[in-house]
Amino acid sequence: NEKLAKTANEEFFDLALKLKMKFVFGWNLPIDPEFYRIMGERLIKKGFKPGDFVFKALIADEFGRAAIPRHQAVRDQVAKFKKDWHFQAVYYSAPPPAGATLADLEKAKLPEFYKMWTVIEALLRDPVRGKKVISFLQSKGCEVWSYQCARYMPTLAIMEYYRLYPWKCYMRNLTGLAIWIPG
């Protein structure tokens, strides 16, 4: 809906700008390239800078190899007009053949499109593969965040999850971390 892309949530965007917030457009975003053009231009005109807003879109969440080509044509269209706007992908790398390898990411030029990556913490903990993923994405100019999905919060140790997890991410030279907790 072009009208909504141009006008919706104005109060939120005004407050976010005033508070110098950064935010992520999450799940169920449109597949239409026009949404990203209109919204990106709207936010830049409003005063946001690239990196203040992130589109988590145009690839399946925690995607596998089969999901990569699904919206490639739309990503190609968006790439023609997107400036330095950030798009985010979640990489968890189930083992091949279902999971996407780093070679698959490179072949599809995903690091050129997605400049922000949240990588499943279990993969990053792997002393060999984790370092390889971090190095690969950072060498492409991407931000790398660690990502943990915690559905059962009462079973997690507070010290490990809330205190040591950010420190471990910092020690790996990651840009940030993301925690998903169901409401």
Side-chain angles (χ1 to χ4, degrees), residues 23-26 29-41 50-59 63 71 74-90 109-118 137 141-145:
F23 51 91
V24 176
F25 288 87
L29 291 176
I31 303 304
D32 187 343
E34 274 300 288
F35 170 80
Y36 300 99
R37 185 190 62 75
I38 291 168
M39 189 59 70
E41 290 174 358
D52 288 347
F53 58 95
V54 176
F55 298 111
K56 182 179 175 72
L58 304 179
I59 198 162
F63 65 91
H71 299 301
V74 178
R75 288 193 301 267
D76 290 344
Q77 288 178 309
V78 171
K80 290 177 185 174
F81 59 75
K82 89 175 177 94
K83 311 293 185 228
D84 292 330
W85 313 333
H86 286 58
F87 278 74
Q88 179 193 52
V90 178
K109 298 185 178 174
L110 294 182
E112 285 75 23
F113 187 86
Y114 293 100
K115 288 303 191 183
M116 181 181 206
W117 290 78
T118 52
L137 291 171
C142 299
E143 289 187 33
V144 182
W145 290 40

Side-chain angles (χ1 to χ4, degrees), residues 4-22:
L4 288 177
K6 290 180 177 179
T7 62
N9 301 311
E10 194 66 19
E11 187 177 330
F12 168 78
F13 294 131
D14 288 340
L15 182 60
L17 188 62
K18 179 181 174 185
L19 297 175
K20 299 179 181 171
M21 291 172 54
K22 296 182 178 196

